[in-house]
Amino acid sequence: MTDSVADLRDELRTLLLRIGSEARKTIFMFSDAIARVPGALPVLMGVLKSGCPASLFGDKDKDYVANQIRPQVADAGIGDNRCATVIVCSAPREPRGATHAWRLDSSRPRRIVLLRGREAIWDFFTSRVSRLLHVIYCVSPVDGKLRESCEQYPALLSCCIPVWFLPWPEESLQRVAVGVLDEVPFESSELRRSCSHHLSFVYESVNAAIACGATRHTLYNTPVWFYELIRQFSALLTHERRRLAERRTRLENGLQMLSSIDNSAREMRGGSDVGMVAAAGVPLDTPSTTKLLSLKQSFKKALFQSKLEASQARASLATRMSGELKQERTRWGEQLARLKEAEHLVVGDCLLAAAFLAYAGPFPPAERARLLTEVWLPDISARGIPVDARAAPMRMLSGEAATAQWHTEGLPADACSEENATVVKMSERWPLMIDPQQQAVSWLAEHEKASGVIRWSMDTSSWPEMLMRAIEDGLPIILENMDEVPDTRIFAVLFRLWVPRGGKLYVSIGDRQVEVHCQSSVDGAGAPVADADEQDESAAMHVSTSTPLFRLFLQTRQSTPHFGAELQVRAVRSALLVLRA
């Protein structure tokens, strides 16, 4: 990702020199994100029109080309002291079997032009580049920018073949979902297929809600969001299954331990009964005239009385312990039954939670509730997928302890704000918060205070250094009052264009390569950690490496901003939020 026209020209020049020198077929693909760099579009249009615009190269470049391809030019029958025949025609088409350089001379069509020496070598080079280079321009037609570009640069129409990628049909969505979920274990293939169909239904239902104007904001729901919905569901399901299985195992082990303790208490109580019988039934010596027998009898009476009292105390303790163990065993047994039921219903519950995380953010509370209870939940049940009829995504995604902590940090005490905060914390995308009253940014700054959060805006002159420090040190950073079209220098960060090199990750900011501070991360990104007890459980999950510790939060004060599709969906992966007043 380049952020200046000078860098773009340098990169293009390097690319074209390599193509012409190595005779390598190459696809050059660029998007409208690069085209937004000031002055970039005219340069790119030059590549579209000629394949190898001469304005990119200087005399040193031509000398380099001549030295590199001179043997190949000689093999083609062209040299410094020989002339090349160029057929000038009305269209840039090379005659079949031609082994000479050619060039279009529009001022004198259908004439034969002779090129000598270095000029012939250069034409050989540009002809090769034009033949081996294939240019692809990826652009979204959702706004008027494509129409304006076509009016300004006719080469977009005359030198390109439009290929329209239409909305995916339901069958394609289902095939993609089945393919991704193929690695996730299910009780049956039928259940996997039902989940795939429901996920495609969620995608279509969101499109319908957008078309009906359920939100004031301009949203672009593309297959990228659908793919991330599948990944979110897979991650949640894997995490929840592991968490529930671990809790079930602990309860089962605990019940076994209670049974063992109860057996010991029974044995202790039984032993006490035997002792009491023995103490009461031991025959004493008959009265004797001797003083020794009298003293012995008194000692035995005292000893038996002491044993009797100890046996009675042990029996009382064992009886009380057995009663308490019975109550605890009953309570744990009920918890185990609920856990087994939760394991049975976990697939449907995770489907609902994944849909909430992926799509609920942009919609107001009433529409969120409608989608959950009137659209998604009935469809899950209708497809025979086990689900809790009272399923609530917030119970899975966040706990009471977490939300209580958020409120102490300044989050408004209402259900909508809690849902929005959950999406901010759980979403795999960079959260993009629509926050006119700055409630979200105030809460987030307090919430991330202990992590060394950095707050910045594009108006700050030193923002590149602040951003680089956050990336290098793995700190959270909040971009406040973000513009609808952000500075191109942060595109690589917004689009997560991490470059692996030497076992590390790097990202470009301007003309600098910044090392991305990484950490070992938990498999199944996006898996929830509802409370402190579950944090220990999640830490035991399988870890992977090369996950950036750096986190970016985006905020805008505009109430109805219009962010482009490439920011919302394709790269930034933003979760749009509206925090209530």
Side-chain angles (χ1 to χ4, degrees):
M1 173 66 70
T2 183
D3 55 16
S4 70
V5 67
D7 292 340
L8 176 63
R9 292 174 63 91
D10 290 340
E11 293 176 8
L12 282 175
R13 180 166 54 252
T14 302
L15 173 66
L16 299 179
L17 288 173
R18 185 170 68 248
I19 295 173
S21 301
E22 301 176 5
R24 178 188 302 177
K25 290 184 178 180
T26 303
I27 293 177
F28 171 54
M29 182 169 63
F30 63 95
S31 68
D32 45 0
I34 299 180
R36 294 180 188 274
V37 175
L41 207 52
V43 177
L44 296 170
M45 291 305 104
V47 176
L48 272 180
K49 287 188 292 184
S50 64
C52 188
S55 59
L56 291 177
F57 304 95
D59 292 337
K60 292 183 179 180
D61 297 319
K62 294 184 179 182
D63 292 340
Y64 170 81
V65 168
N67 293 329
Q68 289 291 317
I69 67 172
R70 191 181 304 276
Q72 303 168 43
V73 173
D75 292 341
I78 304 173
D80 289 340
N81 299 320
R82 300 180 59 182
C83 58
T85 303
V86 178
I87 299 179
V88 181
C89 54
S90 58
R93 177 169 40 184
E94 185 176 0
R96 179 174 298 180
T99 58
H100 45 258
W102 61 275
R103 183 179 64 186
L104 173 64
D105 184 357
S106 57
S107 63
R108 305 185 68 180
R110 298 189 180 278
R111 291 179 58 85
I112 295 178
V113 178
L114 297 181
L115 300 178
R116 291 184 177 275
R118 299 173 65 83
E119 187 178 8
I121 296 177
W122 181 250
D123 275 18
F124 178 88
F125 169 81
T126 57
S127 173
R128 171 185 279 181
V129 171
S130 299
R131 185 175 65 254
L132 298 178
L133 177 64
H134 184 59
V135 181
I136 301 176
Y137 179 27
C138 303
V139 59
S140 172
V142 294
D143 51 26
K145 293 183 175 59
L146 176 60
R147 176 180 53 82
E148 296 173 1
S149 298
C150 290
E151 292 175 351
Q152 188 175 2
Y153 303 101
L156 282 173
L157 297 176
S158 60
C159 300
C160 294
I161 300 176
V163 179
W164 291 84
F165 286 84
L166 301 175
W168 286 13
E170 185 177 3
E171 181 181 355
S172 298
L173 295 171
Q174 294 172 359
R175 283 204 303 268
V176 170
V178 169
V180 176
L181 296 181
D182 190 54
E183 299 179 357
V184 181
F186 285 90
E187 296 177 1
S188 65
S189 58
E190 182 62 31
L191 180 58
R192 179 184 288 106
R193 185 162 49 251
S194 297
C195 291
S196 302
H197 291 185
H198 172 73
L199 291 170
S200 65
F201 171 81
V202 170
Y203 176 80
E204 295 294 350
S205 67
V206 172
N207 284 337
I210 294 174
C212 293
T215 176
R216 297 182 303 166
H217 311 286
T218 303
L219 300 178
Y220 304 108
N221 184 25
T222 74
V224 175
W225 265 14
F226 176 68
Y227 181 74
E228 292 190 356
L229 167 65
I230 305 171
R231 291 181 62 250
Q232 190 81 66
F233 166 64
S234 175
L236 284 172
L237 182 60
T238 300
H239 173 79
E240 284 299 300
R241 280 176 168 171
R242 183 182 294 114
R243 185 180 66 87
L244 292 174
E246 290 174 354
R247 293 183 62 186
R248 174 172 50 78
T249 300
R250 287 203 299 266
L251 276 177
E252 290 173 343
N253 294 338
L255 285 171
Q256 292 178 359
M257 185 181 299
L258 287 179
S259 298
S260 177
I261 295 174
D262 188 34
N263 292 335
S264 299
R266 291 176 184 274
E267 293 175 0
M268 182 172 63
R269 185 174 58 192
S272 299
D273 294 340
V274 173
M276 286 186 288
V277 171
V282 171
L284 300 177
D285 292 343
T286 58
S288 175
T289 59
T290 65
K291 187 176 180 180
L292 180 62
L293 292 177
S294 178
L295 291 173
K296 184 177 180 180
Q297 184 179 12
S298 299
F299 175 76
K300 285 185 176 181
K301 284 183 178 180
L303 179 62
F304 288 147
Q305 183 66 30
S306 176
K307 289 183 177 180
L308 178 62
E309 292 175 356
S311 297
Q312 289 175 338
R314 286 198 301 269
S316 176
L317 176 62
T319 301
R320 187 169 65 253
M321 183 183 298
S322 295
E324 293 177 354
L325 288 175
K326 182 179 180 180
Q327 295 177 359
E328 195 68 13
R329 188 166 57 248
T330 300
R331 186 174 68 86
W332 286 14
E334 293 173 351
Q335 290 184 7
L336 181 60
R338 288 195 296 269
L339 273 178
K340 291 181 177 179
E341 180 66 13
E343 286 183 304
H344 175 65
L345 303 175
V346 69
V347 174
D349 293 351
C350 287
L351 281 172
L352 204 62
F356 176 85
L357 273 182
Y359 288 118
F363 295 103
E367 184 62 17
R368 295 180 188 179
R370 186 191 73 83
L371 287 172
L372 284 172
T373 60
E374 300 179 18
V375 181
W376 298 337
L377 184 57
D379 184 74
I380 294 175
S381 300
R383 297 183 189 278
I385 302 173
V387 64
D388 187 349
R390 300 167 300 172
M394 290 294 293
R395 284 204 300 265
M396 176 183 294
L397 300 174
S398 64
E400 294 181 359
T403 54
Q405 178 64 28
W406 295 344
H407 292 319
T408 62
E409 294 164 347
L411 185 73
D414 61 88
C416 180
S417 297
E418 292 175 358
E419 292 173 356
N420 292 335
T422 300
V423 175
V424 168
K425 293 296 295 180
M426 297 296 304
S427 177
E428 294 185 11
R429 307 180 184 102
W430 298 135
L432 173 55
M433 300 171 289
I434 302 175
D435 184 28
Q437 299 182 9
Q438 295 190 274
Q439 292 178 332
V441 73
S442 298
W443 162 73
L444 191 59
E446 182 65 25
H447 178 73
E448 297 289 347
K449 184 177 181 180
S451 301
V453 64
I454 298 175
R455 300 174 64 173
W456 65 296
S457 68
M458 295 307 235
D459 297 333
T460 306
S461 59
S462 60
W463 72 259
E465 289 74 19
M466 298 170 67
L467 179 58
M468 284 185 276
R469 182 166 70 88
I471 295 174
E472 291 172 336
D473 296 342
L475 302 176
I477 188 168
I478 305 174
L479 171 54
E480 301 184 40
N481 199 21
M482 178 181 175
D483 295 329
E484 292 182 353
V485 181
D487 193 303
T488 56
R489 286 175 289 180
I490 67 169
F491 274 10
V493 178
L494 292 176
F495 297 170
R496 301 178 190 242
L497 299 180
W498 317 129
V499 179
R501 188 169 66 246
K504 300 179 180 180
L505 294 182
Y506 294 86
V507 66
S508 298
I509 299 179
D511 57 353
R512 289 191 56 182
Q513 289 286 318
V514 181
E515 181 180 344
V516 182
H517 184 66
C518 297
Q519 66 169 354
S520 297
S521 67
V522 176
D523 267 358
V529 179
D531 51 43
D533 294 336
E534 296 177 3
Q535 289 180 3
D536 295 336
E537 299 173 7
S538 66
M541 298 169 67
H542 179 70
V543 297
S544 59
T545 56
S546 299
T547 297
L549 187 61
F550 159 78
R551 288 169 293 151
L552 176 64
F553 301 93
L554 309 172
Q555 182 250 11
T556 178
R557 298 175 189 172
Q558 302 181 47
S559 57
T560 55
H562 181 198
F563 292 99
E566 70 278 4
L567 281 174
Q568 284 194 38
V569 181
R570 182 175 59 85
V572 175
R573 299 186 281 179
S574 58
L576 297 175
L577 302 174
V578 184
L579 297 195
R580 287 174 51 184

